[in-house]
Amino acid sequence: MSLTGTPFFLTTIVLVVVALVLPLALWSRIGGPKVVRLVTRLFMILFAQVTAIVMVFVIVNNSNALFDNWDDLLGTGDHVTEAADLGPDGTGGKSLDREPKVLQKFTPASDGRMGPGVQQTQLKGRISGVEGEVYVWLPPQYDDPAYKDKKFPVVEVLPGFPGSAKAWFGSLNVNTQLKPMMAKGEVAPFIIVAPRTTLLGNVDTGCANIPGKVNADTWLSVDVRKMVVDNFRAEEKADGWAVAGYSAGAHCAAKLAVAHPDRYRAGVSLSGYNDPIGEPASLTAKTPELREANNPWKMLQRAKTPPRVALFLSGAEGDGYQGGLAIKQSAKAPTTVHVSMIPAGAGGHGTAVWKRQVPDVFRWLTRQIRLP
């Protein structure tokens, strides 16, 4: 039974009802020795508590898209087939222009909560050694005859940890929010791409390449990117690409944009952090060397040539705002940084807050990315 499916959700509701009815119907009818009556009543109380907790967990999980399946919940999933040392640029010395096209079969997304128009495919990353699902949504102009010869800008969207690739569509409603705005010309007609980021059970990869462990950076910035360009009328150059994320995904977005100005022109960080220790389960938080290498603030400080990227960083006091200011103070032209403060009482560290930011984020992205 699917963790996020309707049958499991309905089952939890039925169990809660049963757990409430049992004590009412049987409490005074339980026979036998006193110890048996006490144990039976204790069991009924515990059963009621456990079923209530499970139902609440399912509601929260379905609302925030934390875990996709039982493997993600139990930490038993492994989407890494190999993790070779791919070098500083994450390509293993391969010229992507000479690599064969990655042609994929897409089907409508199986989860109706993601809204209309979302497609999914199962991608085997040829360079990264990662395998996982990727969701793609095309803007309303994509099938317009007036745009038949146009290439479209792309935004790669990343969830937090734990987090599902479905989250930007299912929890933040990015597609249903943006479709009317795109139709009116308020924001650019972006292709929106959501790849799997939970790759190693209950460990956060930090979106990094760690030889012998995982090549998450290459998965996101090379394999997924090439697949999109090979299957859709998408811009190939960095001027047409951005990466956005929230929470742990925000950290990833800022880091990927700073690390790869040849692949992304803009990065959006919603309630993120600079030091990987912000997510203790991250592989990049395990050693001082990994923390130093994957901190976007320090990456900017030691960059010999400031990257030509634009960064949008938002957060509340103590939840991303100070980190955004630190990056802004370290940035040098041509790097540009916009920092936005989320007011106290806006809703905390949650998808409801990030959902409200979607229109402003994509208006900002429209000003940064080359349009068709």
Side-chain angles (χ1 to χ4, degrees):
M1 191 178 294
S2 170
L3 175 64
T4 58
T6 300
F8 182 63
F9 178 48
L10 294 178
T11 299
T12 64
I13 295 175
V14 171
L15 289 175
V16 167
V17 172
V18 170
L20 293 174
V21 170
L22 278 177
L24 295 174
L26 303 177
W27 194 269
S28 60
R29 298 182 182 182
I30 300 171
K34 183 177 180 180
V35 65
V36 172
R37 297 197 303 273
L38 288 174
V39 170
T40 303
R41 288 166 179 164
L42 178 61
F43 173 78
M44 289 192 294
I45 291 172
L46 291 175
F47 181 59
Q49 291 178 328
V50 170
T51 54
I53 290 170
V54 171
M55 185 183 73
V56 170
F57 163 77
V58 172
I59 293 172
V60 171
N61 185 56
N62 289 349
S63 298
N64 294 279
L66 300 175
F67 301 98
D68 255 350
N69 51 49
W70 292 105
D71 281 340
D72 287 346
L73 175 62
L74 300 175
T76 56
D78 187 347
H79 295 263
V80 179
T81 58
E82 61 177 320
D85 187 343
L86 299 177
D89 70 347
T91 66
K94 294 183 178 179
S95 173
L96 299 183
D97 293 338
R98 297 179 181 177
E99 289 293 303
K101 285 195 172 185
V102 181
L103 300 179
Q104 294 288 121
K105 179 181 179 181
F106 285 82
T107 58
S110 56
D111 193 332
R113 294 169 302 172
M114 299 175 73
V118 182
Q119 308 173 57
Q120 69 181 70
T121 190
Q122 192 72 14
L123 175 65
K124 293 183 179 180
R126 294 177 182 173
I127 298 178
S128 66
V130 170
E131 180 176 352
E133 69 274 19
V134 181
Y135 298 95
V136 176
W137 180 82
L138 303 174
Q141 290 89 339
Y142 193 86
D143 293 322
D144 185 335
Y147 286 77
K148 64 182 179 65
D149 297 320
K150 302 294 184 182
K151 292 185 178 180
F152 289 80
V154 183
V155 181
E156 197 171 1
V157 292
L158 312 176
F161 179 84
S164 164
K166 301 175 181 177
W168 275 80
F169 299 110
S171 299
L172 274 63
N173 299 139
V174 64
N175 47 334
T176 53
Q177 286 199 75
L178 294 181
K179 184 175 180 179
M181 298 178 69
M182 291 180 181
K184 295 176 183 177
E186 295 178 20
V187 298
F190 291 103
I191 296 172
I192 300 176
V193 180
R196 168 174 276 274
T197 55
T198 301
L199 307 177
L200 286 172
N202 56 4
V203 174
D204 175 26
T205 66
C207 299
N209 281 1
I210 303 175
K213 289 285 187 180
V214 64
N215 285 318
D217 181 323
T218 296
W219 162 248
L220 297 170
S221 69
V222 177
D223 283 330
V224 171
R225 197 176 182 283
K226 177 172 172 53
M227 182 275 290
V228 172
V229 170
D230 287 348
N231 288 270
F232 301 97
R233 297 197 316 276
E235 287 282 353
E236 300 98 339
K237 297 180 180 179
D239 283 342
W241 277 75
V243 56
Y246 61 80
S247 192
H251 165 75
C252 285
K255 188 189 72 172
L256 289 172
V258 170
H260 303 298
D262 59 325
R263 300 169 197 173
Y264 303 102
R265 183 59 60 238
V268 174
S269 168
L270 306 180
S271 303
Y273 48 84
N274 294 330
D275 189 336
I277 201 67
E279 174 46 69
S282 176
L283 288 173
T284 56
K286 301 306 180 185
T287 69
E289 293 77 17
L290 285 172
R291 286 174 61 184
E292 178 84 14
N294 291 279
N295 184 326
W297 173 48
K298 294 188 175 182
M299 290 166 67
L300 280 176
Q301 288 180 319
R302 62 174 178 265
K304 295 180 180 179
T305 302
R308 190 168 74 86
V309 295
L311 299 174
F312 179 106
L313 308 159
S314 74
E317 286 281 353
D319 187 24
Y321 180 65
Q322 282 78 10
L325 290 180
I327 285 182
K328 185 171 184 177
Q329 291 168 359
S330 296
K332 299 177 181 177
T335 307
T336 62
V337 182
H338 171 84
V339 181
S340 176
M341 183 177 183
I342 298 174
H349 193 85
T351 54
V353 173
W354 305 317
K355 178 180 176 180
R356 291 195 294 269
Q357 291 183 278
V358 165
D360 285 341
V361 163
F362 277 81
R363 290 188 187 100
W364 179 85
L365 283 170
T366 298
R367 296 193 294 270
Q368 313 306 318
I369 300 298
R370 186 174 66 188
L371 306 182

